[in-house]
Amino acid sequence: AGASLVACKSQSAGGAADRERRMKWWHQARFGMFIHWGLYSVLGRHEWVMENEGIPVAEYEKLAQRFTPQPHAARAWAKLAKQTGQKYMVMTTKHHEGFCNFNSKLTNYCAPQQACGRDLVKEYVDAARAEGMRVGFYYSLMDWHHPDGAKCEHDEAARKRFVKYIHGQI
């Protein structure tokens, strides 16, 4: 689904050439770090734990209070990436669980407001750039937390509200 957003943008004037340039760089870079984490990290299992294990939203939300990443973790990741010859880093900004690792005006279900009190995406971007790394983001369009997330496939009003929410965050 995220690829469709990129595809739509790349169709704009000059978009195809820019996409080709970026993809060429990525193929040449060959080696990068993907930081895939969120509330599911607290449980130490897989990122689909909420869905696959049927954990109710109200119960899963409580994990935010226990999601307290070490300060400066992103600095260590970026230094490691550079030391090992990696050229870029990608971090999960929001996974299917709907929890945002960045501050959002559209939900308080995010790290700065309910977890560690810090914008983890900002920390990651600052650390990666300080080491000369290219920065990428993974943002899931699926959202098990948002009330319209599951309804939008069959409810046009819910779909419109959900798309507005997603566009507001991106």
Side-chain angles (χ1 to χ4, degrees):
S4 64
L5 284 178
V6 173
C8 289
K9 185 173 183 174
S10 70
Q11 298 306 316
S12 63
D18 185 52
R19 182 180 190 284
E20 185 176 327
R21 178 190 58 78
R22 289 182 289 114
M23 290 303 292
K24 181 179 179 184
W25 179 91
W26 183 69
H27 285 286
Q28 290 172 342
R30 299 180 54 119
F31 188 37
M33 181 182 287
F34 195 125
I35 303 152
H36 201 305
W37 66 323
L39 296 185
Y40 45 87
S41 304
V42 172
L43 298 176
R45 293 194 290 277
H46 48 85
E47 69 270 14
W48 279 68
V49 67
M50 180 182 168
E51 178 77 5
N52 290 350
E53 297 182 19
I55 302 172
V57 170
E59 183 181 330
Y60 194 85
E61 285 177 340
K62 295 175 186 174
L63 293 175
Q65 298 165 7
R66 295 174 40 208
F67 187 59
T68 55
Q70 294 179 0
H72 313 299
R75 287 185 192 168
W77 300 335
K79 286 181 187 303
L80 177 63
K82 184 170 186 148
Q83 288 170 357
T84 57
Q86 296 177 54
K87 306 292 185 213
Y88 65 93
M89 297 172 67
V90 177
M91 188 177 110
T92 304
T93 59
K94 179 184 81 74
H95 199 262
H96 309 336
E97 66 193 3
F99 184 79
C100 302
N101 284 322
F102 57 91
N103 200 18
S104 175
K105 293 178 183 175
L106 301 176
T107 181
N108 68 352
Y109 196 52
C110 60
Q113 296 181 46
Q114 286 197 9
C116 57
R118 304 186 334 259
D119 186 325
L120 301 173
V121 174
K122 180 182 182 333
E123 289 180 11
Y124 149 75
V125 169
D126 291 347
R129 288 187 174 153
E131 294 297 327
M133 306 296 293
R134 290 226 182 158
V135 173
F137 304 110
Y138 172 81
Y139 177 96
S140 173
L141 296 179
M142 203 176 345
D143 192 321
W144 300 323
H145 186 265
H146 192 282
D148 291 323
K151 294 188 248 175
C152 63
E153 186 175 357
H154 304 289
D155 178 337
E156 183 62 19
R159 187 191 69 74
K160 286 181 179 179
R161 287 188 303 269
F162 189 63
V163 167
K164 183 177 179 181
Y165 171 76
I166 296 297
H167 284 182
Q169 284 197 321
I170 293 174

